[in-house]
Short mmCIF file of all heavy atoms in Angstrom, two decimals:
data_model
loop_
_atom_site.label_atom_id
_atom_site.label_comp_id
_atom_site.label_asym_id
_atom_site.label_seq_id
_atom_site.Cartn_x
_atom_site.Cartn_y
_atom_site.Cartn_z
N ALA O 1220 -93.43 72.24 -116.46
CA ALA O 1220 -94.57 71.36 -116.86
C ALA O 1220 -94.98 70.48 -115.72
O ALA O 1220 -96.16 70.21 -115.48
CB ALA O 1220 -94.22 70.56 -118.13
N LYS O 1221 -93.97 69.92 -115.01
CA LYS O 1221 -94.32 68.80 -114.09
C LYS O 1221 -94.49 69.34 -112.65
O LYS O 1221 -94.91 68.57 -111.79
CB LYS O 1221 -93.21 67.71 -114.11
CG LYS O 1221 -93.22 66.96 -115.40
CD LYS O 1221 -94.29 65.90 -115.15
CE LYS O 1221 -94.42 64.90 -116.30
NZ LYS O 1221 -95.45 63.94 -116.01
N GLN O 1222 -94.03 70.52 -112.34
CA GLN O 1222 -94.21 71.10 -111.03
C GLN O 1222 -93.55 70.40 -109.89
O GLN O 1222 -94.01 70.32 -108.79
CB GLN O 1222 -95.75 71.27 -110.72
CG GLN O 1222 -96.52 72.19 -111.66
CD GLN O 1222 -96.07 73.64 -111.47
OE1 GLN O 1222 -95.85 74.11 -110.44
NE2 GLN O 1222 -95.89 74.31 -112.60
N PHE O 1223 -92.36 69.74 -110.17
CA PHE O 1223 -91.58 69.13 -109.09
C PHE O 1223 -90.71 70.24 -108.52
O PHE O 1223 -90.44 71.27 -109.18
CB PHE O 1223 -90.74 67.98 -109.56
CG PHE O 1223 -89.91 68.23 -110.78
CD1 PHE O 1223 -88.76 68.98 -110.72
CD2 PHE O 1223 -90.21 67.72 -112.03
CE1 PHE O 1223 -87.94 69.22 -111.72
CE2 PHE O 1223 -89.45 67.92 -113.11
CZ PHE O 1223 -88.27 68.65 -113.00
N ALA O 1224 -90.26 70.03 -107.29
CA ALA O 1224 -89.26 70.89 -106.75
C ALA O 1224 -87.97 70.36 -107.07
O ALA O 1224 -87.69 69.16 -107.14
CB ALA O 1224 -89.45 71.07 -105.25
N GLY O 1225 -86.97 71.22 -107.40
CA GLY O 1225 -85.67 70.69 -107.80
C GLY O 1225 -84.53 71.15 -106.88
O GLY O 1225 -84.55 72.21 -106.27
N LEU O 1226 -83.59 70.21 -106.62
CA LEU O 1226 -82.36 70.56 -105.90
C LEU O 1226 -81.24 70.11 -106.81
O LEU O 1226 -81.03 68.94 -107.06
CB LEU O 1226 -82.35 69.81 -104.58
CG LEU O 1226 -81.07 70.12 -103.64
CD1 LEU O 1226 -80.95 71.67 -103.40
CD2 LEU O 1226 -81.12 69.42 -102.35
N PHE O 1227 -80.56 71.16 -107.42
CA PHE O 1227 -79.67 70.85 -108.57
C PHE O 1227 -78.26 71.23 -108.19
O PHE O 1227 -78.02 72.39 -107.72
CB PHE O 1227 -80.21 71.69 -109.69
CG PHE O 1227 -79.52 71.45 -111.06
CD1 PHE O 1227 -80.01 70.58 -111.97
CD2 PHE O 1227 -78.34 72.11 -111.31
CE1 PHE O 1227 -79.42 70.31 -113.18
CE2 PHE O 1227 -77.67 71.91 -112.56
CZ PHE O 1227 -78.28 71.01 -113.48
N ILE O 1228 -77.33 70.37 -108.43
CA ILE O 1228 -75.93 70.69 -108.11
C ILE O 1228 -75.13 70.88 -109.35
O ILE O 1228 -75.31 70.24 -110.31
CB ILE O 1228 -75.40 69.51 -107.31
CG1 ILE O 1228 -76.07 69.54 -105.98
CG2 ILE O 1228 -73.88 69.68 -107.15
CD1 ILE O 1228 -75.53 68.64 -104.96
N THR O 1229 -74.38 71.96 -109.30
CA THR O 1229 -73.60 72.29 -110.44
C THR O 1229 -72.30 72.96 -109.98
O THR O 1229 -72.23 73.39 -108.86
CB THR O 1229 -74.38 73.18 -111.49
OG1 THR O 1229 -73.49 73.63 -112.48
CG2 THR O 1229 -74.93 74.48 -110.72
N HIS O 1230 -71.36 73.14 -110.89
CA HIS O 1230 -70.20 74.01 -110.44
C HIS O 1230 -70.13 75.16 -111.40
O HIS O 1230 -69.17 75.90 -111.34
CB HIS O 1230 -68.87 73.23 -110.40
CG HIS O 1230 -68.58 72.36 -111.63
ND1 HIS O 1230 -68.38 70.98 -111.44
CD2 HIS O 1230 -68.61 72.62 -112.86
CE1 HIS O 1230 -68.22 70.49 -112.66
NE2 HIS O 1230 -68.34 71.47 -113.54
N SER O 1231 -71.17 75.36 -112.20
CA SER O 1231 -71.21 76.48 -113.08
C SER O 1231 -72.18 77.55 -112.54
O SER O 1231 -73.34 77.31 -112.40
CB SER O 1231 -71.69 76.05 -114.48
OG SER O 1231 -72.24 77.15 -115.21
N VAL O 1232 -71.59 78.72 -112.27
CA VAL O 1232 -72.35 79.81 -111.65
C VAL O 1232 -73.47 80.30 -112.59
O VAL O 1232 -74.62 80.46 -112.22
CB VAL O 1232 -71.48 80.98 -111.25
CG1 VAL O 1232 -72.26 82.16 -110.79
CG2 VAL O 1232 -70.51 80.52 -110.15
N SER O 1233 -73.14 80.50 -113.93
CA SER O 1233 -74.07 81.03 -114.83
C SER O 1233 -75.24 80.03 -115.05
O SER O 1233 -76.45 80.46 -115.10
CB SER O 1233 -73.46 81.39 -116.18
OG SER O 1233 -72.92 80.25 -116.74
N GLU O 1234 -74.90 78.82 -115.12
CA GLU O 1234 -75.95 77.81 -115.12
C GLU O 1234 -76.83 77.85 -114.03
O GLU O 1234 -78.07 77.76 -114.15
CB GLU O 1234 -75.22 76.41 -115.23
CG GLU O 1234 -76.11 75.18 -115.51
CD GLU O 1234 -75.21 73.96 -115.65
OE1 GLU O 1234 -74.50 73.89 -116.71
OE2 GLU O 1234 -75.22 73.07 -114.78
N ALA O 1235 -76.26 78.01 -112.78
CA ALA O 1235 -77.02 78.07 -111.61
C ALA O 1235 -78.06 79.28 -111.58
O ALA O 1235 -79.25 79.07 -111.35
CB ALA O 1235 -76.13 78.18 -110.42
N VAL O 1236 -77.50 80.33 -112.00
CA VAL O 1236 -78.39 81.57 -111.98
C VAL O 1236 -79.46 81.42 -113.04
O VAL O 1236 -80.62 81.77 -112.91
CB VAL O 1236 -77.54 82.86 -112.22
CG1 VAL O 1236 -78.43 84.01 -112.40
CG2 VAL O 1236 -76.61 83.07 -111.08
N TYR O 1237 -79.10 80.91 -114.16
CA TYR O 1237 -79.99 80.78 -115.29
C TYR O 1237 -81.17 79.84 -115.02
O TYR O 1237 -82.32 80.10 -115.36
CB TYR O 1237 -79.26 80.36 -116.57
CG TYR O 1237 -80.19 80.04 -117.78
CD1 TYR O 1237 -81.03 81.01 -118.25
CD2 TYR O 1237 -80.22 78.77 -118.37
CE1 TYR O 1237 -81.83 80.77 -119.31
CE2 TYR O 1237 -81.09 78.55 -119.34
CZ TYR O 1237 -81.92 79.53 -119.89
OH TYR O 1237 -82.74 79.30 -120.86
N MET O 1238 -80.87 78.77 -114.26
CA MET O 1238 -81.93 77.73 -114.14
C MET O 1238 -82.82 77.92 -112.92
O MET O 1238 -83.95 77.53 -112.94
CB MET O 1238 -81.24 76.32 -114.04
CG MET O 1238 -80.47 75.96 -115.20
SD MET O 1238 -79.86 74.35 -114.95
CE MET O 1238 -81.25 73.32 -115.01
N SER O 1239 -82.24 78.51 -111.83
CA SER O 1239 -82.96 78.21 -110.59
C SER O 1239 -83.77 79.47 -110.05
O SER O 1239 -83.66 80.54 -110.58
CB SER O 1239 -81.92 77.84 -109.53
OG SER O 1239 -80.84 78.75 -109.56
N THR O 1240 -84.53 79.19 -109.01
CA THR O 1240 -85.22 80.14 -108.29
C THR O 1240 -84.43 80.70 -107.13
O THR O 1240 -84.61 81.70 -106.51
CB THR O 1240 -86.64 79.72 -107.79
OG1 THR O 1240 -86.41 78.60 -106.94
CG2 THR O 1240 -87.48 79.28 -108.97
N LYS O 1241 -83.49 79.82 -106.69
CA LYS O 1241 -82.65 80.13 -105.58
C LYS O 1241 -81.22 79.55 -105.80
O LYS O 1241 -81.20 78.37 -106.18
CB LYS O 1241 -83.34 79.62 -104.28
CG LYS O 1241 -82.78 80.12 -103.02
CD LYS O 1241 -83.72 79.85 -101.83
CE LYS O 1241 -83.39 78.54 -101.15
NZ LYS O 1241 -84.35 78.29 -100.01
N VAL O 1242 -80.20 80.30 -105.47
CA VAL O 1242 -78.83 79.77 -105.62
C VAL O 1242 -78.22 79.70 -104.20
O VAL O 1242 -78.25 80.66 -103.52
CB VAL O 1242 -77.98 80.62 -106.55
CG1 VAL O 1242 -76.61 80.08 -106.59
CG2 VAL O 1242 -78.60 80.70 -107.88
N VAL O 1243 -77.68 78.53 -103.90
CA VAL O 1243 -77.04 78.41 -102.66
C VAL O 1243 -75.56 78.16 -102.90
O VAL O 1243 -75.10 77.37 -103.65
CB VAL O 1243 -77.63 77.10 -101.91
CG1 VAL O 1243 -76.80 76.81 -100.63
CG2 VAL O 1243 -79.03 77.31 -101.54
N VAL O 1244 -74.71 79.02 -102.20
CA VAL O 1244 -73.34 78.95 -102.46
C VAL O 1244 -72.67 78.25 -101.23
O VAL O 1244 -72.90 78.58 -100.13
CB VAL O 1244 -72.67 80.32 -102.60
CG1 VAL O 1244 -71.17 80.28 -102.77
CG2 VAL O 1244 -73.31 81.08 -103.80
N MET O 1245 -71.89 77.23 -101.55
CA MET O 1245 -71.22 76.54 -100.49
C MET O 1245 -69.69 76.73 -100.49
O MET O 1245 -69.11 77.05 -101.56
CB MET O 1245 -71.49 75.01 -100.62
CG MET O 1245 -72.87 74.55 -100.20
SD MET O 1245 -73.08 72.78 -100.29
CE MET O 1245 -72.03 72.20 -98.99
N SER O 1246 -69.09 76.60 -99.36
CA SER O 1246 -67.64 76.60 -99.30
C SER O 1246 -67.18 75.30 -98.72
O SER O 1246 -67.93 74.62 -98.10
CB SER O 1246 -67.11 77.77 -98.42
OG SER O 1246 -67.31 77.47 -97.10
N GLY O 1247 -65.85 74.98 -98.93
CA GLY O 1247 -65.49 73.62 -98.51
C GLY O 1247 -64.63 73.55 -97.25
O GLY O 1247 -64.35 74.65 -96.67
N ARG O 1248 -64.41 72.43 -96.81
CA ARG O 1248 -63.59 72.07 -95.62
C ARG O 1248 -63.74 72.96 -94.45
O ARG O 1248 -62.94 73.80 -94.17
CB ARG O 1248 -62.14 72.12 -96.11
CG ARG O 1248 -61.91 71.17 -97.16
CD ARG O 1248 -60.55 71.10 -97.72
NE ARG O 1248 -60.73 70.63 -99.16
CZ ARG O 1248 -60.97 69.42 -99.49
NH1 ARG O 1248 -61.01 68.50 -98.56
NH2 ARG O 1248 -61.16 69.07 -100.64
N PRO O 1249 -64.78 72.69 -93.58
CA PRO O 1249 -65.88 71.72 -93.83
C PRO O 1249 -66.88 72.49 -94.67
O PRO O 1249 -66.97 73.70 -94.68
CB PRO O 1249 -66.31 71.53 -92.45
CG PRO O 1249 -66.00 72.71 -91.61
CD PRO O 1249 -64.77 73.31 -92.21
N GLY O 1250 -67.71 71.64 -95.35
CA GLY O 1250 -68.67 72.28 -96.21
C GLY O 1250 -69.78 72.98 -95.44
O GLY O 1250 -70.43 72.41 -94.59
N LYS O 1251 -69.90 74.27 -95.79
CA LYS O 1251 -71.10 75.00 -95.25
C LYS O 1251 -71.70 75.89 -96.31
O LYS O 1251 -71.09 76.09 -97.37
CB LYS O 1251 -70.75 75.87 -94.06
CG LYS O 1251 -69.38 75.84 -93.57
CD LYS O 1251 -69.20 76.91 -92.49
CE LYS O 1251 -68.31 76.38 -91.39
NZ LYS O 1251 -67.67 77.08 -90.51
#
Side-chain angles (χ1 to χ4, degrees):
Chain O
K1221 285 279 181 182
Q1222 297 294 318
F1223 51 75
L1226 181 57
F1227 187 95
I1228 291 191
T1229 174
H1230 47 237
S1231 156
V1232 173
S1233 62
E1234 186 173 289
V1236 173
Y1237 174 59
M1238 296 181 71
S1239 48
T1240 60
K1241 194 161 92 180
V1242 179
V1243 171
V1244 178
M1245 286 183 69
S1246 73
R1248 298 176 210 286
K1251 356 174 143 162

